[in-house]
Amino acid sequence: MYRCLQLARAGAGWVAPNPMVGAVLVHDGEIIGEGYHRLYGEAHAEVNCIASVQPAHRHLISKSVLYVSLEPCAHYGKTPPCTQLIIHSGIPKVVIGCRDPFPEVNGKGIEQLLKAGVSVTTGVLEKECLELNTRFFKFHTQQRPYIVLKWAQSGDGAIAMPDASVAHISNSFTNRMVHRWRSEEQAILIGTRTAMLDNPSLTTRLWPGRNPIRLVIDRELKLPHHLQVFDKTGPTIIFNEIRGNIRNADDLLVHNNGYYLLNRTGSMVEQLVNALYQLRIQSVLVEGGAKLLQSFIDEEIWDEARIITNDALTIPGGIAAPTLNNGMLQGEDRFFTDRISFYIRAKL
């Protein structure tokens, strides 16, 4: 199962909104096949695992044990159900890390296998398997995306220059790390001022990986379309109070730059979170300015915070960084003058 988890992590950033899954086929203590879910819409881990078995070993498939980190799917989605492949392959025993909370699966995969006479063991390294797909489980059990807050601040706690213009705080090594973080989340969110003043591209150009869906808050649709977030190097959703033309993430295949209509009243954070659930976006990296970040903190709607502090830099009179409430420090990394602090939100 440890090998399943190791394989599954290779799908990070490529399989959302599906979960990361790894599978290993074992005969008499020897691995004869292994695979993982590589790309959303393509073959699942079990399919790739069974397909990887060499011709000389294919007669052993019906005498082997299949280990898989997540309950095999039992429904037709982008691909056929994996349970049917397992049954038709004659695999006599399946060991599962944890159940799948997705309503179309959630115990149905296990039930199908048992009805077909397959021996099933569940809950092996369950805690580790659950942690692997925290984003997927958060989305399906709490009906909201997993939210990661990120900002860089000077040693004296400033996030931007006194005039709110961009301050180059983090070094090149840390910047590359941030681009890796972007590749691991399904979407990235900024506000109007950040889009206007910083003109970020919000891509993974410093790290190999898929660009996240760009989310921009522009209530009055006043941002000029020469900004980089509208350059069509990746899909962008503009949250506004004037127009809307998309209902879910699949609509972005038609509308590269999509518009989602917000209400003029009520909590903007709650509206965003509800909209992202409707759009089937499971994880968001919030890279906005201090006001947007603080709004997520104040409403206690966040899961992780990653704060980069350049201890060697001061910005007298600079725009103050957000104040993190209810955060539990999990660890720190250092890249020269940059200190990266990792927090999770404490449960109330």
Side-chain angles (χ1 to χ4, degrees):
M1 192 60 72
Y2 278 120
R3 178 57 177 162
C4 289
L5 292 167
Q6 184 181 38
L7 289 164
R9 291 187 185 98
W14 295 102
V15 301
N18 284 352
M20 293 175 282
V21 184
V24 172
L25 193 64
V26 178
H27 179 263
D28 282 348
E30 179 183 352
I31 293 176
I32 63 170
E34 58 182 30
Y36 65 95
H37 186 28
R38 296 172 177 270
L39 186 66
Y40 174 66
E42 295 189 359
H44 289 186
E46 299 93 325
V47 177
N48 290 328
C49 175
I50 293 171
S52 75
V53 178
Q54 295 299 308
H57 291 151
R58 296 201 68 83
H59 70 284
L60 299 176
I61 292 176
S62 61
K63 304 172 185 176
S64 300
V65 179
L66 178 67
Y67 292 79
V68 60
S69 56
L70 186 70
E71 178 183 2
C73 66
H75 67 292
Y76 282 89
K78 295 284 185 181
T79 61
C82 293
T83 51
Q84 295 305 307
L85 174 64
I86 294 168
I87 293 167
H88 292 157
S89 298
I91 295 172
K93 182 175 181 179
V94 177
V95 178
I96 298 170
C98 63
R99 284 176 59 149
D100 187 338
F102 183 57
E104 295 294 329
V105 185
N106 199 6
K108 297 182 180 71
I110 295 170
E111 183 181 352
Q112 282 190 11
L113 293 173
L114 290 172
K115 281 185 176 180
V118 178
S119 173
V120 177
T121 300
T122 61
V124 176
L125 295 185
E126 184 175 36
K127 179 175 179 290
E128 291 85 347
C129 292
L130 290 170
E131 288 176 351
L132 173 70
N133 283 302
T134 300
R135 289 149 178 77
F136 179 77
F137 293 124
K138 173 77 68 173
F139 184 82
H140 287 291
T141 60
Q142 298 188 25
Q143 289 75 54
R144 75 162 177 85
Y146 190 87
I147 296 169
V148 181
L149 309 179
K150 169 264 167 184
W151 70 85
Q153 62 186 23
S154 61
D156 56 351
I159 197 172
M161 302 300 288
D163 62 357
S165 61
V166 62
H168 298 288
I169 295 174
S170 52
N171 61 46
S172 60
F173 294 95
T174 307
N175 289 341
R176 190 173 293 273
M177 177 70 71
V178 169
H179 283 233
R180 193 190 86 180
W181 295 344
R182 290 178 178 179
S183 76
E184 293 171 345
E185 307 304 338
Q186 196 176 354
I188 183 169
L189 172 67
I190 60 169
T192 308
R193 283 173 61 83
T194 298
M196 183 70 80
L197 295 174
D198 297 358
N199 191 20
S201 64
L202 306 181
T203 64
T204 58
R205 62 193 179 278
L206 301 181
W207 188 267
R210 186 163 60 177
N211 290 328
I213 297 170
R214 299 179 291 197
L215 311 174
V216 181
I217 301 169
D218 183 15
R219 287 181 177 272
E220 300 174 2
L221 294 181
K222 63 184 181 182
L223 290 173
H225 275 229
H226 62 73
L227 295 177
Q228 292 188 98
V229 291
F230 301 117
D231 62 10
K232 297 189 178 181
T233 57
T236 299
I237 301 175
I238 303 99
F239 293 95
N240 69 96
E241 297 174 351
I242 299 171
R243 61 179 291 205
N245 66 354
I246 62 169
R247 296 158 300 171
N248 56 60
D250 289 342
D251 285 347
L252 286 175
L253 298 174
V254 178
H255 306 281
N256 194 273
N257 288 338
Y259 296 85
Y260 195 98
L261 190 63
L262 296 177
N263 295 325
R264 296 180 183 272
T265 59
S267 163
M268 184 186 66
V269 172
E270 285 190 5
Q271 285 191 64
L272 284 170
V273 167
N274 291 334
L276 294 173
Y277 179 72
Q278 298 301 321
L279 290 164
R280 300 203 302 271
I281 292 175
Q282 291 184 4
S283 67
V284 181
L285 180 66
V286 182
E287 280 199 25
K291 184 177 179 181
L292 178 62
L293 287 159
Q294 193 67 55
S295 65
F296 277 89
I297 295 169
D298 290 345
E299 296 195 36
E300 292 285 351
I301 302 178
W302 62 281
D303 298 288
E304 289 185 38
R306 301 168 186 175
I307 303 173
I308 302 165
T309 305
N310 184 338
D311 292 313
L313 175 68
T314 59
I315 306 177
I319 303 298
T323 301
L324 189 68
N325 304 317
N326 204 31
M328 297 175 57
L329 183 65
Q330 299 299 292
E332 292 189 330
D333 287 336
R334 181 173 287 278
F335 294 91
F336 300 100
T337 58
D338 289 352
R339 173 169 46 90
I340 307 176
S341 303
F342 299 90
Y343 294 85
I344 61 170
R345 185 169 63 88
K347 292 184 172 54
L348 298 177

